[in-house]
Amino acid sequence: MKAYFTKVFGGILLSGMVASCSCSSEGGQIQEVPFTDVHLADSFWAPRIETNRTVSIPSAFKECEKNGRFDNFALAAGLIKGEHQGDFSFDDTDPYKIIEGASYSLAVKYDEHLDHYLDSVIAIIAKAQEKDGYLTTCVTNNCTRLSGWWGSHKWEKINSHELYNSGHLIEAACAHYRATGKRTLLDVAIKNADLVCKTFGPNVDQQHRPSGHPIIEMALSKLYGVTGNKQYLETARYFVEETGRCTDGHKASEYSQDHKPILQQEEIVGHAVRAGYLYSGVADVAALTNDKDYFTALERIWQNTVSRKLYITGGIGSRAQGEGFGPDYELHNHTAYCETCASIANVYWNHRMFLATGDGKYADVVERALYNGVISGVSLSGDKFFYDNPLESMGQHDRAPWFGCACCPGNITRFMASVPLYMYAVRENTIFVNLYIQGDADITTADGKVRIAQQTAYPWDGKVKFTVTPAGARRFAIKLRIPGFVTDKPVPSDLYTFADSKGEGFTVTVNGGKPESMDVENGYLTLDNSWKPGDVIELTLPMEVRRINANENVEDDKGKNAFQRGPIVYCLEGTDQADQTVFNKFIPTDARLTAEYRADLLGGVVVLKGMAKELQPDGAEKDTPVMAVPYCTWDNRGANQMAVWIPTSKEYARATPEETIASKATVWMIQAPIQKDAPESASTEEEAYGVNDQWEPKSSHDTSKPYHYWWLKKGTLETLAYKFEKPATVSHVDVYWLDFDHYDGNFRTPASWKLYYKQGDAWKEVQAKDAYTVKKDCWNSLDFVPVTTTGLKIAAQLRNGESGGVLEWKVR
């Protein structure tokens, strides 16, 4: 069985990208080393990958069973009767992604039960496919409840996700075929892909539009690699070229990166996952068609990303609105979105850019995302997930077993099994070493096979020993990536810099002696030697604790440092501090943190310890010990406070505020028209948060801390209410209105508003002593005749065509 897996995966690469286009000055194409030829034996990644196989994949399949994902296919196949389940037209992709991850796991470690389970669910999926190859269950099931997604007929809307469903079907089918040799799902995918190629394209009788939610571009490129059928590559290229043309008359949208042709794009905008998938697909198509113009465009967009929109954790996408990017340097921490899927997409994109160029700067971003922004998305237990990954929390964030929109759990399952793919690459007789993980790899170069064994405790220890075993003595090159944290560049731009002096250098020996050259070029030290079996390379990377400053244009990081050791970014977590609080701490620039390995904590981690200052409510400060843990491990001991960027002086710290009637209240949206003396039973309630956390806004566009917004509501009457712990007499409120621009609709101060108090089951308007104001960038105060009540309610009339929200709401 293993020999078969090696044959299949060795011939066709996992990512689907064969880098036939090389933008490297050295020439020659770079090939991935199949992940099935790389065997990990470390204490960091190997346990996580095994947990993914034994826990994450089974638990995700169980959630698919419980939430009706498989029933939807059975319903479409006519095997059962009932109603379509789920809330989204792309729910079909959840099983597809988990099938893909399960297939990768099968390729590494055969599991008969899992193999048979896949056979059973694939049989249901195959029966659900329509005769012409179409496969989107909510459409086949005529789920009118979801018709807003897909319209009244197939392929009607650009954002219907039908092509997104097709893309993930194809990705899963290619993985399953490569892992098992079975064509059961591959034949389904080919039939569906043939329909896509027939339906979309440049001809008069075809539909003219881009994919909407990209992944079909990557998927068709991968299917071309599996089948050799050029129509798949041609259609993938069509979707790339159609982006931004709007030839069918649809509205151009930054949300889908469809606002202009890719060759004209300069800034990364819109939905972060769509962006990462789109540019990964563009890289695939450009590589397979030898199109250097597209790589030039991708490099331009990439530069904008790493210079102005990349989080220190490798995450991308700052805003919950549209799940995407804000303007340059908007890198808020508390409200950072950093969707797990977006971090994975960032890895896909940077890996493809590396394959095209051989430049280590892309592998640097891959490593940063891998060790921080990606694996923070899954618990150490493997059965709970983050959708978004903030860099600061008051304890309101906690991983969940599943989501209504469950894209992230499935994506984690398919990604984790493939981590070994990113370790090595080959160009003719040159071997690239991109990641340092204990284990061995069988690598095929132009002139023969080479086995490389790594012995290391990385990322906790910087010592890496390589034993090189070629089939016979011969000359070839080994390129060792020297990470950015060694060369004093946290990321390949000026977005972040190390605050301390230049760090220690790295050392390398070959069989105990120094190499001829220690020059690092494009992020790599090249060892071009005549190698014989048993040769040993010893690399030592410095593992100092480094402070990081953000670019002065990143407003939310001013007066703060982040801490990094090796590739690991650290955070303060409340549970490790004496008072369970992080926001009142600051670590002066002269304070020293030391590293300590804790085998008993979080599966075995290096923690950082030192002395900090704690800001008191009266402005005084006191010494206090602090401990920082790897960001990727936070929230594995219960929800609590957390921060990555730590103040260096008390001016940027926040003393724990005294509780107020507002901070102790619960926050609700009450969905009902305001009617005089209307009973509470006539209203519906939805819990909200973000307006009573006692953070002081700096302006109406200060969205760096939690706030409430009425998403996709425009020109309507919207409400927000406090429920007090017990009846209280109140006579004054202060409201700070939200006001900022967004491509999906702007947020403005309301046209008008009223304040109501709870009397029995009714809401009554207060007797205001002042005018109701709707000013921005300041508090809007209202005095009213005192009332004793259990709650207050704001009723805000939004401006025509505009949405709105509240940053903070005080009561006294």
Side-chain angles (χ1 to χ4, degrees):
M1 185 68 73
K2 179 181 177 182
Y4 173 76
F5 289 153
T6 302
K7 179 180 178 182
V8 173
F9 277 93
I12 303 169
L13 305 183
L14 177 64
S15 76
M17 181 176 177
V18 181
S20 59
C21 169
S22 176
C23 299
S24 168
S25 59
E26 296 182 38
Q29 65 187 48
I30 301 176
Q31 302 276 4
E32 296 165 324
V33 173
F35 77 100
T36 47
D37 291 342
V38 182
H39 313 285
L40 306 188
D42 71 320
S43 61
F44 188 93
W45 286 109
R48 284 170 166 82
I49 292 171
E50 180 65 5
T51 298
N52 184 64
R53 186 185 74 85
T54 59
V55 178
S56 301
I57 290 172
S59 69
F61 272 138
K62 194 172 188 66
E63 291 292 341
C64 283
E65 294 173 4
K66 187 167 65 176
N67 290 280
R69 299 297 195 263
F70 293 129
D71 285 346
N72 288 338
F73 286 99
L75 183 64
L79 301 175
I80 63 173
K81 293 184 178 181
E83 295 293 327
H84 187 92
Q85 300 179 56
D87 297 323
F88 301 100
S89 62
F90 48 83
D91 285 344
D92 293 355
T93 65
D94 297 335
Y96 295 154
K97 284 181 276 193
I98 306 165
I99 290 170
E100 184 180 349
S103 298
Y104 296 153
S105 290
L106 277 179
V108 174
K109 189 171 183 177
Y110 182 71
D111 182 326
E112 184 177 11
H113 173 74
L114 181 58
D115 192 9
H116 292 163
Y117 184 87
L118 293 185
D119 287 344
S120 66
V121 298
I122 289 170
I124 298 171
I125 292 170
K127 290 183 185 301
Q129 186 170 40
E130 297 185 19
K131 290 182 179 180
D132 64 354
Y134 183 84
L135 185 51
T136 288
T137 61
C138 69
V139 179
T140 301
N141 294 334
N142 195 29
C143 181
T144 55
R145 177 172 52 85
L146 297 181
S147 61
W149 288 99
W150 52 269
S152 59
H153 58 267
K154 300 172 185 177
W155 314 117
E156 181 180 345
K157 294 189 175 183
I158 189 171
N159 280 314
S160 65
H161 291 88
E162 290 157 285
L163 288 168
Y164 180 67
N165 291 340
S166 294
H168 274 297
L169 167 64
I170 295 168
E171 295 260 331
C174 291
H176 184 254
Y177 169 67
R178 292 167 177 168
T180 66
K182 300 174 184 178
R183 295 186 60 95
T184 47
L185 191 58
L186 182 65
D187 288 340
V188 174
I190 287 174
K191 190 175 180 181
N192 183 259
D194 289 345
L195 177 65
V196 169
C197 294
K198 178 182 177 182
T199 304
F200 297 94
N203 297 332
V204 176
D205 60 344
Q206 292 177 298
Q207 292 198 37
H208 305 155
R209 68 170 64 152
S211 60
H213 191 313
I215 199 175
I216 191 68
E217 300 86 353
M218 280 194 287
L220 288 173
S221 298
K222 187 175 291 186
L223 190 60
Y224 164 67
V226 170
T227 65
N229 188 333
K230 285 192 175 181
Q231 74 164 338
Y232 302 138
L233 176 58
E234 291 167 357
T235 304
R237 184 179 181 90
Y238 167 77
F239 285 127
V240 167
E241 293 181 339
E242 187 63 23
T243 299
R245 285 183 175 176
C246 304
T247 53
D248 67 338
H250 73 267
K251 182 181 178 182
S253 170
E254 289 187 0
Y255 177 74
S256 301
Q257 297 76 43
D258 187 35
H259 55 300
K260 61 177 68 173
I262 290 167
L263 293 177
Q264 298 175 22
Q265 294 183 23
E266 297 182 352
E267 179 184 2
I268 193 164
V269 296
H271 190 276
V273 180
R274 295 178 189 228
Y277 283 1
L278 173 62
Y279 300 137
S280 296
V282 174
D284 280 350
V285 169
L288 292 166
T289 61
N290 200 32
D291 192 322
K292 293 188 178 181
D293 288 340
Y294 273 117
F295 275 117
T296 299
L298 288 175
E299 172 65 19
R300 186 170 61 241
I301 300 165
W302 182 87
Q303 284 289 349
N304 174 256
T305 306
V306 298
S307 299
R308 303 184 178 193
K309 300 191 180 185
L310 179 71
Y311 279 92
I312 194 63
T313 57
I316 54 175
S318 63
R319 291 184 172 183
Q321 295 92 345
E323 300 182 318
F325 297 97
D328 288 348
Y329 301 110
E330 182 188 89
L331 292 165
H332 300 325
N333 295 306
H334 210 126
T335 53
Y337 205 66
C338 290
E339 186 179 336
T340 299
C341 290
S343 292
I344 292 172
N346 199 25
V347 171
Y348 290 160
W349 180 22
N350 278 274
H351 179 60
R352 285 160 166 80
M353 295 297 284
F354 156 73
L355 290 175
T357 64
D359 197 320
K361 65 184 181 182
Y362 303 112
D364 266 8
V365 178
V366 167
E367 182 179 60
R368 180 168 294 280
L370 272 178
Y371 279 97
N372 302 289
V374 171
I375 57 174
S376 62
V378 59
S379 65
L380 292 173
S381 60
D383 57 355
K384 292 184 178 180
F385 306 88
F386 273 139
Y387 193 104
D388 52 324
N389 293 268
L391 279 73
E392 190 176 286
S393 177
M394 293 183 298
Q396 75 271 35
H397 300 91
D398 196 12
R399 293 183 184 87
W402 197 249
F403 307 96
C405 174
C407 52
C408 296
N411 231 355
I412 281 285
T413 64
R414 78 183 184 121
F415 183 82
M416 289 297 289
S418 67
V419 166
L421 173 77
Y422 302 99
M423 285 186 67
Y424 298 97
V426 176
R427 178 173 55 208
E428 297 176 348
N429 285 306
T430 297
I431 298 172
F432 293 82
V433 184
N434 284 332
L435 297 177
Y436 301 112
I437 306 173
Q438 181 158 297
D440 57 73
D442 296 307
I443 302 170
T444 302
T445 67
D447 290 342
K449 293 184 179 297
V450 180
R451 167 162 282 208
I452 294 181
Q454 288 192 36
Q455 185 178 341
T456 181
Y458 194 90
W460 312 127
D461 192 300
K463 295 178 180 178
V464 190
K465 178 181 177 182
F466 302 86
T467 302
V468 183
T469 308
R474 61 185 177 85
R475 190 174 192 88
F476 56 92
I478 297 176
K479 285 181 172 285
L480 302 179
R481 184 180 63 88
I482 306 303
F485 66 79
V486 176
T487 58
D488 284 317
K489 275 195 124 177
V491 299
S493 72
D494 66 352
L495 183 57
Y496 302 107
T497 55
F498 287 116
D500 45 10
S501 59
K502 185 175 177 63
E504 299 175 8
F506 68 95
T507 63
V508 175
T509 63
V510 178
N511 295 326
K514 290 185 178 181
E516 292 182 6
S517 172
M518 291 287 286
D519 293 338
V520 176
E521 184 177 357
N522 291 328
Y524 292 93
L525 172 69
T526 302
L527 303 175
D528 191 349
N529 290 358
S530 293
W531 301 96
K532 63 183 184 301
D535 280 347
V536 172
I537 304 168
E538 292 181 288
L539 169 68
T540 301
L541 300 172
M543 285 286 170
E544 307 157 279
V545 178
R546 308 293 302 273
R547 288 175 177 262
I548 297 174
N549 287 331
N551 185 291
E552 62 181 9
N553 291 301
V554 182
E555 185 68 28
D556 202 28
D557 295 341
K558 285 184 177 179
K560 302 174 185 176
N561 284 156
F563 293 85
Q564 179 174 331
R565 181 179 181 274
I568 302 293
V569 173
Y570 282 80
C571 67
L572 294 185
E573 194 171 8
T575 192
D576 298 310
Q577 319 313 322
D579 63 350
Q580 305 289 299
T581 303
V582 303
F583 299 117
N584 59 357
K585 308 292 190 298
F586 62 96
I587 304 178
T589 55
D590 60 353
R592 182 169 176 262
L593 297 185
T594 58
E596 176 186 322
Y597 182 73
R598 288 278 304 273
D600 62 329
L601 184 67
L602 299 167
V605 296
V606 167
V607 301
L608 307 183
K609 288 184 173 181
M611 294 300 295
K613 301 287 186 180
E614 184 176 292
L615 182 63
Q616 306 300 301
D618 62 0
E621 56 191 64
K622 71 173 186 178
D623 293 335
T624 186
V626 291
M627 186 173 88
V629 297
Y631 169 77
C632 64
T633 66
W634 85 279
D635 190 43
N636 275 282
R637 296 167 290 172
N640 61 120
Q641 291 189 7
M642 181 276 296
V644 169
W645 289 92
I646 311 303
T648 58
S649 64
K650 68 179 184 180
E651 287 75 18
Y652 293 93
R654 183 181 85 149
T656 302
E658 292 186 12
E659 290 186 326
T660 67
I661 183 175
S663 70
K664 293 187 290 185
T666 56
V667 188
W668 298 83
M669 288 188 296
I670 299 178
Q671 303 296 332
I674 295 296
Q675 297 175 357
K676 190 175 182 179
D677 299 332
E680 186 175 13
S681 58
S683 304
T684 59
E685 298 180 346
E686 180 181 340
E687 192 167 3
Y689 84 103
V691 297
N692 62 338
D693 46 47
Q694 298 180 281
W695 292 100
E696 289 284 325
K698 298 175 183 177
S699 67
S700 285
H701 62 269
D702 178 12
T703 56
S704 63
K705 303 301 180 186
Y707 59 97
H708 179 80
Y709 58 98
W710 291 292
W711 179 238
L712 299 181
K713 301 290 186 179
K714 297 180 181 180
T716 52
L717 185 66
E718 301 298 332
T719 62
L720 199 63
Y722 277 155
K723 285 185 180 180
F724 303 140
E725 288 185 327
K726 57 185 179 181
T729 300
V730 294
S731 61
H732 179 91
V733 297
D734 296 295
V735 181
Y736 211 114
W737 298 110
L738 176 69
D739 192 291
F740 76 97
D741 296 334
H742 191 268
Y743 55 79
D744 267 350
N746 297 324
F747 295 82
R748 296 289 177 251
T749 62
S752 62
W753 64 290
K754 297 291 185 182
L755 184 69
Y756 295 80
Y757 69 97
K758 191 70 174 294
Q759 187 177 71
D761 289 336
W763 289 99
K764 291 193 172 183
E765 186 178 346
V766 300
Q767 296 181 42
K769 295 182 178 179
D770 306 319
Y772 287 93
T773 59
V774 290
K775 297 177 182 178
K776 67 178 183 178
D777 300 327
C778 65
W779 289 100
N780 290 263
S781 300
L782 180 71
D783 286 309
F784 51 91
V785 175
V787 294
T788 301
T789 181
T790 57
L792 291 175
K793 177 171 66 174
I794 290 173
Q797 178 60 54
L798 305 184
R799 298 178 188 270
N800 289 335
E802 311 282 12
S803 188
V806 176
L807 291 173
E808 196 72 11
W809 175 16
K810 299 178 181 178
V811 178
R812 73 168 185 260

